[in-house]
Amino acid sequence: MTRVLIGVCGGISAYKACELVRLFVKDGHEVVPLLTKAGERFVTAQTLNALARHSGEQSPYPHLEHADLYVIAPTTANTLAKLASGIADNLVTESALAHAGPLVLAPAMNARMWANPATQENVRKLRERGVEIVGPAEGELGEGGSGVGRMSEPEEIYARCLQLLSVTDSLAGVRVLVSAGGTREPLDSVRYLGNRSSGRMGVALAAEAARRGAEVTLVAANLAVSAPAGVTLVEVTTAAELTEAVLETDADIVLMAAAVADYRPAKPERGKRRKDESAWQVELEPTADVLRELGARRRKGQLLVGFAADEGDPGLERARLKLVAKKVDLIVFNDVSRADIGFDAEDNEAVLISGPGERRLAKAPKTAIAAAILDEAERLREAASS
Ligand code: CTP
């Protein structure tokens, strides 16, 4: 049985913590609820303890030493800031500082507080330390209006916690290379041709592979999100730099999640191009197709995973062809004609295409999709070695 600490801060979504406690208890986990003073204004310790079947009488401190996971839902902007700075001035923050296992935060606040650079900086710091941030989601906010700041649903937080609890070393000793982000091709010294990839999918893959014990190299092209803790980071800007970094690899599994430019300006201008009345004609030349090259030179036992960002059913059909044309083991298709998934979105929905067949993954956070992709990669590796 696993022991889970559930911290609850002061916010309107504190009522959803009751459901989170219920989900854990239903599956047989031991839950110790912890409340801040502000949290008590929204939900009582008695309610949480009753749901957790916890007397609430004994001191929570002995439990802290043995907790397998700590989830704080909701996490307010204030608690987020305290955690980023290591402040321990109440039971919830003290416990976070004392807890050695996975820490999951489900932020909830108004959209302006979430977007504030101070909050974003705190989130970045925490992510870099390996803290798992679930959400916030976009939608109606407790104070009225809508935006990004709504706490993720308890089922989503619970699903992520379960993934973190299923400690696995299934990729121990395996070298994994992930490319992530979008390349930028200079037009002159200040302008570039780029794409909308944020790097979220690749970062989620790198984090998940590291969690499974792999030795992970993340070739990162202009990420809009922080790189995860525990991976070797190789930062690149252009397709040429990415090509060099990736083709050097002797990794056992290569996941090409980066959106690599297919074309680059043939002759970028040296300085900054001055504005004049004439049109600016730019000739684009093709870049190297890294995945195709990897497919052509792959060694025995190496597993290659490509991504196909394309549109609708014709895109899915083209993705199937890519599996064969690029000689890879798995293609992850996602439909970029939809605004709610894929490029620059928190969620994704994908079709996994491999030799043995196809598997549809329902819309889910990119972290969960990453876990499903790695499950599939592991299955293919196992099938290839047996
Ligand atoms: N890819 C690559 N090198 C490139 C372009 C793409 O390695 N120069 C990889 C991507 O990282 C991805 C896969 O190829 O894993 C498919 O990328 P995608 O852009 O969907 O397909 P393309 O092969 O570029 O073809 P098209 O854009 O015409 O669909």
Side-chain angles (χ1 to χ4, degrees):
M1 183 166 65
T2 52
R3 179 175 289 158
V4 177
L5 306 175
I6 300 190
V8 180
C9 303
I12 190 72
S13 50
Y15 75 93
K16 292 190 194 170
C18 298
E19 177 60 12
L20 187 62
V21 170
R22 205 187 60 78
L23 289 169
F24 276 106
V25 171
K26 187 168 68 79
D27 278 355
H29 302 281
E30 183 189 346
V31 173
V32 181
L34 308 168
L35 273 158
T36 63
K37 277 244 148 32
E40 280 172 22
R41 298 210 316 265
F42 293 86
V43 57
T44 67
Q46 209 176 356
T47 308
L48 291 171
N49 285 330
L51 287 167
R53 297 174 195 149
H54 187 260
S55 74
E57 275 157 20
Q58 68 269 49
S59 158
Y61 288 97
H63 295 284
L64 299 183
E65 289 175 21
H66 309 292
D68 300 292
L69 181 126
Y70 183 16
V71 49
I72 307 180
T75 311
T76 54
N78 190 38
T79 294
L80 209 64
K82 286 184 193 172
L83 296 177
S85 311
I87 293 173
D89 64 347
N90 61 38
L91 193 55
V92 167
T93 51
E94 256 176 24
S95 311
L97 211 54
H99 172 68
L103 175 62
V104 180
L105 306 179
M109 62 196 73
N110 86 36
R112 288 181 306 284
M113 286 168 88
W114 174 251
N116 189 293
T119 303
Q120 289 302 310
E121 175 71 12
N122 292 330
V123 168
R124 190 187 57 76
K125 268 195 210 160
L126 289 162
R127 277 211 173 104
E128 270 172 16
R129 284 180 217 149
V131 174
E132 186 70 28
I133 313 274
V134 181
E138 191 170 355
E140 238 172 76
L141 300 173
E143 54 163 33
S146 70
V148 178
R150 197 184 151 86
M151 188 173 97
S152 293
E153 291 307 314
E155 291 75 16
E156 183 186 335
I157 301 167
Y158 182 60
R160 189 62 195 133
C161 289
L162 282 194
Q163 282 175 346
L164 292 170
L165 280 172
S166 64
V167 180
T168 156
D169 56 357
S170 51
L171 290 175
V174 177
R175 288 160 304 167
V176 173
L177 181 135
V178 182
S179 73
T183 61
R184 293 178 180 172
E185 310 306 317
L187 282 156
D188 66 9
S189 59
V190 297
R191 303 174 177 96
Y192 60 81
L193 280 180
N195 61 67
R196 286 175 48 210
S197 175
S198 62
R200 278 195 187 88
M201 192 64 242
V203 164
L205 282 164
E208 182 61 23
R211 202 178 70 75
R212 295 180 185 206
E215 289 167 32
V216 182
T217 301
L218 177 64
V219 178
N222 315 298
L223 299 185
V225 292
S226 331
V231 306
T232 304
L233 186 65
V234 180
E235 289 188 282
V236 298
T237 304
T238 63
E241 287 167 16
L242 184 139
T243 307
E244 197 183 348
V246 172
L247 290 185
E248 236 173 42
T249 190
D250 188 31
D252 304 301
I253 302 178
V254 181
L255 298 133
M256 280 293 293
V260 189
D262 291 325
Y263 296 92
R264 66 168 156 247
K267 292 190 194 80
E269 300 202 11
R270 271 172 196 278
K272 182 184 172 196
R273 184 187 198 273
R274 299 283 145 210
K275 183 167 65 180
D276 59 28
E277 298 304 307
S278 60
W280 181 2
Q281 303 264 6
V282 178
E283 190 193 334
L284 301 179
E285 65 182 15
T287 57
D289 188 322
V290 189
L291 191 58
R292 189 179 289 270
E293 188 57 37
L294 283 170
R297 58 163 83 172
R298 83 147 91 212
R299 65 165 167 79
K300 199 166 175 290
Q302 193 174 45
L303 189 99
L304 302 178
V305 181
F307 286 71
D310 211 325
E311 300 186 343
D313 285 341
L316 178 59
E317 197 46 48
R318 277 192 291 273
R320 292 181 179 125
L321 298 176
K322 263 173 216 171
L323 181 76
V324 183
K326 298 200 183 191
K327 296 197 178 79
V328 298
D329 304 280
L330 177 63
I331 289 278
V332 182
F333 166 74
N334 66 301
D335 191 343
V336 289
S337 62
R338 287 176 47 185
D340 58 330
I341 55 167
F343 273 137
D344 210 14
E346 298 284 349
D347 289 345
N348 211 351
E349 186 181 298
V351 184
L352 305 185
I353 308 167
S354 66
E358 293 186 10
R359 192 188 298 265
R360 243 169 225 281
L361 303 179
K363 184 173 163 182
K366 285 181 174 170
T367 45
I369 298 284
I373 293 171
L374 284 173
D375 285 346
E376 188 74 12
E378 286 190 34
R379 270 193 289 271
L380 291 169
R381 241 170 85 83
E382 222 176 275
S385 69
S386 61

